[in-house]
Amino acid sequence: MKFKLITDSHDALTGMRLAGIEGVYAETAQDAEKELNACIADENTGIVLITEGLASACAEFIDSIKLSESSTLVVTVPGSKNEQTHDNMMRYVREAIGIKI
C-alpha cells in the first residue's frame, strides 16, 4: 500500500518527500480532482493525503469519494501557509522519520 500527497504547497511537498511520501503539486481544484481519480484508479495507493487548501476547494468531490465504496482513504493534512501549520507539518515529518528538521 502506498501513500500519495496532493498539495498546493511546495513546502508540504518537500516535507513529505523527506518522509518518503511521493506527491504531486496541484494548482487548482480541477487538478486535485484529476489526481484523486488517478489515485483511486491505482489499486496500490491506499491513503491519499491532501492539504487543507485543496481539500476545501474540492470538498464535495472528496465527500463523494469518502461515501463511495472506494478502498482509498482520503486524509486532510495542514498546508504550510502560516507558522502554526508549518510547525504541524514539521511535527508530522519528525514523527515519521524520527529527526528534527
Side-chain angles (χ1 to χ4, degrees):
M1 175 182 13
K2 294 188 312 184
F3 282 82
K4 181 94 175 215
L5 172 70
I6 302 172
T7 182
D8 58 352
S9 165
H10 290 290
D11 293 335
L13 188 61
T14 302
M16 289 299 184
R17 281 186 181 158
L18 287 172
I21 297 173
E22 296 179 22
V24 292
Y25 183 80
E27 291 185 14
T28 64
Q30 291 80 18
D31 293 340
E33 290 177 9
K34 178 181 162 190
E35 292 297 332
L36 280 166
N37 281 326
C39 290
I40 292 168
D42 180 9
E43 60 188 37
N44 292 323
T45 303
I47 300 174
V48 177
L49 307 172
I50 185 165
T51 49
E52 58 192 358
L54 285 175
S56 64
C58 54
E60 289 181 22
F61 185 72
I62 291 173
D63 288 342
S64 69
I65 292 171
K66 289 181 178 180
L67 293 174
S68 72
E69 295 180 18
S70 172
S71 63
T72 304
L73 176 65
V74 179
V75 179
T76 303
V77 296
S80 62
K81 301 295 183 196
N82 60 39
E83 188 63 32
Q84 180 183 5
T85 304
H86 181 266
D87 291 340
N88 288 338
M89 187 59 66
M90 291 301 107
R91 181 176 47 88
Y92 287 140
V93 171
R94 185 173 53 246
E95 290 173 0
I97 61 176
I99 62 172
K100 184 174 181 180
I101 298 175

